[in-house]
Amino acid sequence: MRVRIDSSYVHGALSLETLGDAVKPWRIPFPQIGLFPSPGDSMVNTAGNAAGVRVRFTTEADRVELLCDSFGGVRSFDLTCGGDLLETVVLPADADTVSFMKLTGSAATYEIWLTQVAPVVLRELAVPEGASLAPAPDDRPRWTTYGSSISHCGAAHSPARTWPATAARIANLNLTCLGYGGQCHLDPMIARMIRDVPADLISLKVGINVQGGSSLSPRTFRPAVIGMVQVIRERQPITPIVIVSPIISPPRETADNAVGLSLTKMREELQDAVQRLKDCGDANLYYADGLELFGEDCVEPYLPDLLHPNGDGYEVLGRRFVEQVLDRVPLKKAQA
């Protein structure tokens, strides 16, 4: 049995671009793509990568194939069932079919996690004749997370082992990952987009791109954080929002950038921004210290370039996020 993939199968994307009989997931609204400018179209390019995007379906088959367009390089795909990672398939650059052979053989809901480091053009799902195949709605609590390359997780072992995916699988959440490599600069259009995506939890892991690019100053950084939260609150007034400060990066901890911001100063400004918002009545806002999530103890084993975690490090970060944030912050549904 073969089915064309459409929006009923795709989760974790903000929009789908139709390409003939195929679809391409985007992590920005594709019809508004021109409203996300950046030097070299970096924002658009990274938003086209399929980080956190899944193809979700039910079947009792013992194997399944995903047909997609070939890539310019080797890419990894994961098959999960519930929180369990069943199989990772590495697709050669010239191949267009991902074959998973480790399904349970009994009726279950599965997710194929698409490679986080490239765009994916999706065509068909196929199971053996006689087996059923149908899209699977996702009624789990919805988590939107925003961040930089550290949330995009290019060095993760595979797409279901990024830190947001690791946390979502442990906590049984419906993930929308807005990790954009190099492009987390508190853009107003991103704030509007997050505002318009229904969520039961929102996390904003901000700072490292701003510090690295000197894109906001001591005059503008705190106001930009406050403004992003206030824009989101226009349509999500009670959704819990967690502001997550930068994880450790030893060369950047105390060294000021071109506009006078170190990571230490940025954490202080983020804490102050959160407190100001709480003092003005935001009872569903939380602060998470990036050094507690991924600090000095993680540098030697997990931070090879002193900026980005390695594959094992991303999974450590994901597990700690569950323990220190997801297990402590009430979801909106739990408050209803």
Side-chain angles (χ1 to χ4, degrees):
M1 179 181 181
R2 308 181 73 89
V3 298
R4 285 178 56 181
I5 297 173
D6 59 23
S7 60
S8 64
Y9 284 92
V10 181
H11 295 259
L14 269 291
S15 61
L16 295 179
E17 177 187 4
T18 300
L19 299 168
D21 59 355
V23 293
K24 175 183 174 181
W26 284 89
R27 294 182 300 128
I28 55 176
F30 178 72
Q32 299 180 348
I33 197 169
L35 302 181
F36 293 82
S38 61
D41 280 335
S42 297
M43 181 67 212
V44 169
N45 291 337
T46 192
N49 293 345
V53 180
R54 295 95 62 204
V55 175
R56 183 176 170 90
F57 58 95
T58 60
T59 187
E60 73 282 1
D62 59 1
R63 58 190 185 276
V64 66
E65 291 183 342
L66 172 68
L67 179 65
C68 54
D69 286 0
S70 57
F71 303 92
V74 175
R75 300 291 183 254
S76 295
F77 294 77
D78 285 327
L79 178 72
T80 62
C81 183
D84 297 328
L85 175 59
L86 302 182
E87 189 175 2
T88 299
V89 173
V90 178
L91 192 67
D94 59 349
D96 60 8
T97 302
V98 190
S99 298
F100 292 100
M101 310 299 289
K102 296 184 178 180
L103 283 69
T104 65
S106 56
T109 295
Y110 299 93
E111 290 185 318
I112 297 174
W113 293 73
L114 309 181
T115 178
Q116 78 275 25
V117 295
V120 182
V121 176
L122 299 166
R123 295 193 175 275
E124 293 181 337
L125 275 178
V127 295
E129 289 299 324
S132 66
L133 181 62
D138 194 342
D139 60 359
R140 296 173 297 177
R142 302 157 297 183
W143 170 34
T144 299
T145 188
Y146 170 57
S148 66
S149 58
I150 296 170
S151 296
H152 199 148
C153 306
H157 292 305
S158 62
R161 298 171 71 183
T162 67
W163 83 256
T166 297
R169 289 192 294 115
I170 293 171
N172 196 31
L173 298 178
N174 179 352
L175 172 67
T176 298
C177 178
L178 305 180
Y180 305 114
Q183 302 305 311
C184 182
H185 295 277
L186 301 168
D187 297 12
M189 284 299 295
I190 297 296
R192 295 180 74 253
M193 187 178 74
I194 296 172
R195 177 196 66 185
D196 296 342
V197 177
D200 301 295
L201 175 69
I202 296 168
S203 55
L204 310 174
K205 188 178 180 305
V206 298
I208 190 63
N209 287 161
V210 172
Q211 200 276 341
S214 299
S215 56
L216 294 168
S217 70
R219 169 62 183 83
T220 57
F221 179 55
R222 259 181 302 182
V225 173
I226 291 169
M228 174 169 273
V229 172
Q230 292 295 81
V231 168
I232 294 169
R233 287 293 185 223
E234 292 172 358
R235 292 188 181 172
Q236 304 208 51
I238 65 169
T239 301
I241 298 176
V242 184
I243 305 295
V244 186
S245 67
I247 65 171
I248 195 168
S249 179
R252 301 162 180 85
E253 288 299 318
T254 58
D256 287 345
N257 64 5
V259 294
L261 283 176
S262 66
L263 293 187
T264 299
K265 291 177 181 176
M266 297 185 90
R267 293 189 192 99
E268 294 171 354
E269 296 216 354
L270 286 168
Q271 285 182 290
D272 183 76
V274 169
Q275 190 58 53
R276 288 171 182 267
L277 287 159
K278 291 171 73 70
D279 289 345
C280 286
D282 196 329
N284 294 298
L285 188 67
Y286 303 85
Y287 174 78
D289 188 344
L291 292 180
E292 295 183 5
L293 293 170
F294 201 89
E296 186 65 39
D297 63 315
C298 294
V299 173
E300 180 62 29
Y302 303 127
L303 201 69
D305 66 354
L306 302 182
L307 177 61
H308 302 92
N310 59 20
D312 290 344
Y314 279 126
E315 291 182 278
V316 168
L317 179 54
R319 291 192 294 269
R320 289 186 180 179
F321 192 84
V322 172
E323 296 165 358
Q324 298 186 31
V325 178
L326 298 182
D327 284 349
R328 300 179 183 180
V329 175
L331 299 179
K332 186 174 68 178
K333 284 186 175 180
Q335 298 174 335

